[in-house]
Amino acid sequence: MNWQSLITTRRLGLEDYHSTHTEIRSEFERDYDRIIFSAPFRRLQNKTQVFPLPESIFVHNRLTHSLEVSSVGRSLTHRIVVAKQSSASSFPATIPEIVQAACLAHDLGNPPFGHSGELAIATFFSEGAGTALQQEMSVEQWADLTHFDGNANAFRMLTHRFVGRRDGGFVLTYPTLASIVKYPYAAQYCPKGKQKFGFFTQDKELYERIASYLDIPYSADNNCYARYPLVYLVEAADDICYQVMDLEDACKLSILPFSEVQALFLAFFSEERRERCLQHCAQLADTNEQLAYLRSCVIGALVDGCADIFISNEQAIMAGEAVPALIKQLPEPLNSAYKRCSRVAVEKVYRSRIVLDIELAGYKVITALLEHYTEAVMHPDKAYSSKLLDRVPSQYDVRADDVYGRVMAVCDFLSGMTDVYALDLYRMIQGIDIR
């Protein structure tokens, strides 16, 4: 792969259109603006990141997380651009704009209630009432449902032509779209025991069109494409943010004590740097401010570390080799400190009661809605089914000719919901709440 082929302003759905309009913004800045002004992006403010939506203590939701990932992604790529300026590199200066836009969009496909929502959809088909539909689908279509994943759904939301919408979905540039596909293969080729993949069967042709134009190589032996190089930077920005910010939120919610999070953050630095950090913290009476300062230092160190790793791996990445995630190649003490944060998050945060409660409730809500709506699309002539389907916005083709199309429309409808909307709809259908 080479940057000349990988970076283009070509837009999905507007391949034959050539504008003569002079635009102050770059094409990739236009991508960013299209995403941030969109309704799906606004809905992220009411979608769970890890912790329940806030009441009095404000922690991260999907929207604030996406904005922070976008900021870190921009800083990370700026760091690389500056480092490459002193060499004879052809590293494009527009890359920070592409990564910033892709980071903003990376979570658009996540359903309500965090990762519990993804699991609820996938297991409804793999082990729940949805198993009855398997005989109605091809192997490829069934894999889409039993492996349902927010990553593939983000690509779908950005590119799929929903009813009444224009060709190309958001009509984003090829580089921005390619940058969010972390797993460039279809669901049926997921490695054993893995759920994540890059695109649904209905959207496969769109990714193939993008990959072909960008000259992203395909391996017939592995049934997958090489990763688009900027995926590594989007992934790194996400890894940096969720790991660090989840610990800060856990401290604010009193799941972890300040002293433990402080120690976890200080472990990223040399002894001399730790002393300087502690001296600065001593000037701050507010522990939240101390934590925010330490968090910013950690993010800065991780950004520098990941930028250096990308530069050292650039040749292998451009050759299409399967390079490990940048965050997994960190030098010491960053590597040990990051792994320690991951262990604590799994053991004490993600298994905490407050997190498990929202996951259990969300699982139940999503499963119940799937039961009602898959029954409705399979038997649309029934009186109750007709009323349920009338409740679905017209952009979702729940009366498509084929079963797969109708079921995917149900998944589109559910995954686009906010937590609150899903809960309200569940209560209404169950007869718990009538307004």
Side-chain angles (χ1 to χ4, degrees):
M1 290 182 283
N2 63 79
W3 292 117
Q4 288 73 29
S5 298
L6 292 169
I7 306 300
T8 176
T9 58
R10 188 179 180 89
R11 291 187 176 277
L12 186 69
L14 287 180
E15 286 87 352
D16 298 325
Y17 177 75
H18 301 284
S19 174
T20 57
H21 178 65
T22 302
E23 176 66 71
I24 296 175
R25 299 172 297 169
S26 75
E27 292 299 314
F28 307 118
E29 288 173 325
R30 291 178 65 198
D31 283 350
Y32 182 92
D33 293 344
R34 287 185 184 198
I35 295 163
I36 206 166
F37 281 96
S38 70
F41 184 77
R42 288 196 298 275
R43 286 197 291 269
L44 293 180
Q45 69 182 308
N46 196 229
K47 285 192 175 185
T48 299
Q49 173 66 16
V50 172
F51 303 104
L53 296 173
E55 293 180 0
S56 58
I57 298 176
F58 284 89
V59 293
H60 288 82
N61 54 39
R62 288 283 175 189
L63 183 129
T64 53
H65 168 72
S66 297
L67 289 168
E68 289 170 351
V69 172
S70 183
S71 176
V72 169
R74 182 194 62 225
S75 297
L76 174 59
T77 43
H78 271 309
R79 165 77 167 73
I80 296 170
V81 169
V82 170
K84 302 284 277 185
Q85 283 176 345
S86 59
S87 66
S89 170
S90 59
F91 195 77
T94 56
I95 281 180
E97 297 171 2
I98 301 170
V99 171
Q100 183 181 22
C103 287
L104 199 68
H106 83 284
D107 264 355
L108 281 181
N110 285 76
F113 308 109
H115 293 297
S116 180
E118 289 176 295
L119 181 63
I121 295 174
T123 55
F124 173 79
F125 296 103
S126 63
E127 58 188 57
T131 55
L133 299 172
Q134 183 173 3
Q135 60 188 356
E136 305 284 347
M137 315 245 181
S138 68
V139 172
E140 296 81 4
Q141 292 169 344
W142 189 243
D144 285 349
L145 298 171
T146 57
H147 292 78
F148 185 91
D149 178 61
N151 293 280
N153 202 44
F155 182 76
R156 178 178 177 81
M157 183 172 289
L158 291 169
T159 62
H160 188 71
R161 186 174 188 176
F162 293 100
V163 178
R165 304 301 174 88
R166 61 178 172 172
D167 188 28
F170 277 47
V171 194
L172 300 180
T173 60
Y174 281 17
T176 296
L177 291 171
S179 295
I180 69 165
V181 182
K182 293 170 63 175
Y183 311 97
Y185 46 79
Q188 68 185 112
Y189 301 120
C190 281
K192 188 175 181 180
K194 302 292 185 180
Q195 283 289 117
K196 297 184 179 300
F197 63 103
F199 39 81
F200 293 109
T201 300
Q202 280 188 334
D203 312 311
K204 181 181 177 182
E205 183 275 329
L206 294 176
Y207 184 76
E208 290 175 341
R209 186 196 308 176
I210 293 168
S212 175
Y213 189 85
L214 298 178
D215 285 336
I216 301 174
Y218 178 77
S219 170
D221 292 337
N222 298 319
N223 297 299
C224 73
Y225 286 89
R227 269 186 160 191
Y228 185 70
L230 301 189
V231 167
Y232 287 95
L233 301 176
V234 175
E235 179 182 52
D238 188 28
D239 288 340
I240 290 170
C241 285
Y242 82 77
Q243 195 66 84
V244 175
M245 304 311 301
D246 287 353
L247 293 177
E248 183 177 1
D249 283 347
C251 183
K252 290 182 178 180
L253 292 169
S254 300
I255 295 173
L256 295 175
F258 170 80
S259 58
E260 183 172 6
V261 179
Q262 180 189 50
L264 288 170
F265 285 174
L266 288 171
F268 282 87
F269 310 115
S270 65
E271 187 172 345
E272 180 182 355
R273 178 73 188 278
R274 287 179 212 168
E275 287 300 318
R276 292 204 304 270
C277 287
L278 288 171
Q279 290 173 7
H280 184 90
C281 287
Q283 303 173 28
L284 304 170
D286 188 338
T287 55
N288 285 329
E289 287 298 311
Q290 292 182 33
L291 205 59
Y293 168 72
L294 292 174
R295 175 252 298 152
S296 67
C297 293
V298 170
I299 289 177
L302 291 174
V303 163
D304 288 344
C306 287
D308 291 339
I309 293 165
F310 181 86
I311 293 170
S312 64
N313 281 272
E314 185 180 356
Q315 185 173 354
I317 289 172
M318 298 299 283
E321 296 178 18
V323 175
L326 304 184
I327 207 75
K328 293 183 178 180
Q329 302 182 63
L330 290 168
E332 296 297 342
L334 298 178
N335 182 54
S336 295
Y338 188 87
K339 287 181 177 178
R340 192 175 302 117
C341 288
S342 297
R343 286 196 300 271
V344 170
V346 170
E347 294 169 4
K348 297 184 179 181
V349 179
Y350 305 144
R351 294 174 184 167
S352 64
R353 179 176 176 179
I354 189 173
V355 173
L356 290 175
D357 284 351
I358 191 68
E359 289 184 344
L360 289 169
Y363 192 99
K364 180 68 174 178
V365 169
I366 294 294
T367 300
L369 292 176
L370 278 169
E371 289 175 350
H372 284 285
Y373 275 98
T374 54
E375 172 69 16
V377 296
M378 292 303 293
H379 305 284
D381 295 330
K382 290 184 177 181
Y384 184 66
S385 295
S386 179
K387 292 182 183 300
L388 276 178
L389 297 182
D390 285 343
R391 190 73 159 69
V392 179
S394 60
Q395 72 186 79
Y396 305 116
D397 191 10
V398 288
R399 292 183 171 85
D401 294 334
D402 63 308
V403 173
Y404 173 73
R406 296 198 296 270
V407 173
M408 281 300 296
V410 170
C411 292
D412 291 333
F413 175 45
L414 294 186
S415 61
M417 294 179 184
T418 64
D419 292 16
V420 171
Y421 183 92
L423 181 58
D424 286 346
L425 184 59
Y426 168 78
R427 286 172 172 165
M428 184 274 293
I429 289 176
Q430 298 293 92
I432 297 171
D433 187 17
I434 300 176
R435 299 182 181 179

